[in-house]
Amino acid sequence: MAHRLIACEHCDYVHVENDIPAGSVACCIRCGSPLYAAEQPRFDKPLALAFTALVLFVIANIYPLLTFSMEGRAETNTLGSGVLTFWQEGFPFLAFMVALTSIAAPMVVIAAHIYVLLPLSMGWTVPGVKRVWRVLAIIRPWSMLDVFLIGLLVALTKLTDFAQVIAGPAFFAVCCLIPTVLLMNITLDPRTVWRRIAPAGLRYLTEDDLTEIRSNGSGQNNAKGSDAGLMTCHTCSMVVAARNVDHGHCPRCGAVVHLRKARSLSRAFALLLTAVVLYIPANVFPIMTVTYLGRAEADTILSGVAVLVQAGEWPIAIVVFTASILVPIIKIVLLGWIYLATWLGLSGPLRQRTRVYRITELIGRWSMVDVFMVSILAALVKLGNIASIQPGFGAVAFCGVVILTMLSAMAFDPRLIWDRAGMRRETLRNKTLRSNSLKETQGSPS
């Protein structure tokens, strides 16, 4: 392997990419974040899994998901029924988000893998491969079929207490689709794809370049890419010299590259504060109104958890309470602490702070469980005064909290954690040097 350079996306520490044993992961020596997994040059397994996922995805969309039967009447729903119900009930934002996260994004992920991997396996040339693979990197975090499945199980638990519910072919297709997509991602090495679709003759920075850069430095180690005049592409992770960037675009994937995300901290703070404001109506207003035998009852997130506890469904109640109440609160508090510490330039446990950021970035999407649950119940329970469920404004506010916290974490540049702490240390060091110099001057004889 050519010893290419790779920079940590969380602290900007520059490493040399080396061969590692199969099944292992290389991590940053400074912050501990994962850098890359063992190289997997073959595309046959992920391609086969992508075609399998496509078949399962088609089944999940055309066949019934659940069949709800009560008082001699029955209703069925499909994967897209919740989207249509939200739209008809006057909640276009919820309709859009459910359509994006449970249908559009998973479809793009599967289709992008087939569109890119099939030509690479067959030796064909097709247009727009780099653009498709770049879009995949953007859309991947919004594919939430795994979260949808948890919402489906919660809805199934709520319904089986007072009606007959039969799982349809789409239910089993979704259950099989999630591990298939997971295996597809695990067995594919994105670095290999980027190298195969890169422009001919593209030169990568290597260990020799890093040695030369460091030897030309003013006595510094140049551990950070920015200190060494290096930039990292957020899309394909290629390390490029700032002086060689053509019009601010990555030479490999064409995405815009920059030393740091513009106005990262202020944008992240603004999105997080908006989420805090929405969190109050998300818990005060009902997320749905349940009508049973002519009696209507509003359900908030907390009351829904209480109903599950009263029904003896402790495991599901714990999952819902954790995903819908604990996770949003913990994420808001932790992100707020990270942003404030970064803004103040606090040093402290930077490695632990980076790990906390990575964890909060990963778990935020799981709070969509309640939104998916409401979409399933509202689409399935439509029996008039006998039994019906309508979504409430609380679901809109709660969905806004989830999306805004995700966008806030995405807007934040974690490398600022290390930059600001380093700037503060440098400032304090300079102040100490100036103070000592002043004392020596005052103490010297005239």
Side-chain angles (χ1 to χ4, degrees), residues 99-431:
L100 172 66
T101 54
S102 64
I103 300 176
M107 180 180 64
V108 171
V109 169
I110 297 169
H113 278 80
I114 295 175
Y115 187 84
V116 174
L117 298 184
L118 183 60
L120 289 179
S121 300
M122 304 299 294
W124 301 338
T125 301
V126 295
V129 173
K130 286 196 299 182
R131 186 176 294 109
V132 170
W133 204 243
R134 195 167 69 229
V135 169
L136 175 62
I138 299 172
I139 202 71
R140 193 190 300 275
W142 300 102
S143 178
M144 301 184 188
L145 269 180
D146 47 354
V147 185
F148 180 86
L149 179 60
I150 302 300
L152 183 60
L153 294 176
V154 174
L156 191 60
T157 302
K158 284 179 171 288
L159 292 175
T160 50
D161 291 336
F162 60 92
Q164 182 182 12
V165 183
I166 301 173
F171 176 87
F172 300 102
V174 171
C175 293
C176 295
L177 177 60
I178 293 167
T180 302
V181 173
L182 178 62
L183 288 173
M184 178 183 70
N185 293 325
I186 292 176
T187 56
L188 179 65
D189 184 6
R191 296 175 302 148
T192 307
V193 177
W194 280 120
R195 290 167 189 164
R196 291 282 297 273
I197 64 179
L202 179 65
R203 182 182 179 277
Y204 294 90
L205 295 181
T206 63
E207 186 176 10
D208 295 335
D209 296 298
L210 183 60
T211 303
E212 180 182 353
I213 290 171
R214 286 175 173 170
S215 65
N216 293 333
S218 56
Q220 297 180 358
N221 188 32
N222 285 327
K224 288 198 309 181
S226 58
D227 291 343
L230 302 178
M231 304 172 70
T232 304
C233 176
H234 287 282
T235 303
C236 70
S237 301
M238 182 179 179
V239 177
V240 295
R243 62 179 182 274
N244 296 332
V245 175
D246 183 23
H247 301 294
H249 291 274
C250 174
R252 181 162 71 175
C253 70
V256 176
V257 292
H258 32 66
L259 285 173
R260 295 293 182 266
K261 295 179 182 179
R263 301 181 302 280
S264 168
L265 196 54
S266 59
R267 288 188 294 120
F269 253 130
L271 290 167
L272 187 65
L273 289 176
T274 308
V276 171
V277 172
L278 282 178
Y279 188 73
I280 298 173
N283 285 272
V284 173
F285 288 93
I287 60 171
M288 61 183 179
T289 300
V290 180
T291 301
Y292 182 60
L293 299 179
R295 181 183 177 185
E297 184 176 348
D299 236 352
T300 62
I301 296 175
L302 198 57
S303 67
V305 174
V307 169
L308 289 171
V309 171
Q310 292 172 359
E313 301 290 346
W314 282 95
I316 300 296
I318 292 172
V319 169
V320 174
F321 180 78
T322 302
S324 302
I325 297 177
L326 281 185
V327 168
I329 293 176
I330 293 174
K331 186 171 184 180
I332 288 172
V333 171
L334 291 180
L335 287 179
W337 167 64
I338 291 170
Y339 298 164
L340 183 60
T342 303
W343 179 64
L344 294 174
L346 302 181
S347 53
L350 300 181
R351 188 183 179 98
Q352 289 78 2
R353 201 178 300 162
T354 303
R355 185 182 297 116
V356 169
Y357 168 77
R358 283 176 22 229
I359 294 173
T360 54
E361 190 180 26
L362 289 173
I363 65 173
R365 61 200 294 272
W366 290 94
S367 297
M368 282 288 288
V369 165
D370 262 329
V371 178
F372 289 135
M373 178 199 68
V374 174
S375 72
I376 294 164
L377 292 176
L380 193 61
V381 185
K382 295 181 176 180
L383 303 181
N385 287 330
I386 298 176
S388 63
I389 295 177
Q390 291 82 33
F393 177 74
V396 179
F398 185 74
C399 185
V401 171
V402 178
I403 301 305
L404 286 169
T405 51
M406 288 182 64
L407 291 174
S408 176
M410 292 176 183
F412 179 67
D413 194 331
R415 295 172 297 184
L416 294 177
I417 297 174
W418 299 82
D419 290 350
R420 294 293 186 96
M423 291 168 58
R424 182 178 176 84
R425 283 196 299 266
E426 185 67 21
T427 301
L428 292 174
R429 189 177 71 86
N430 291 337
K431 286 183 178 179

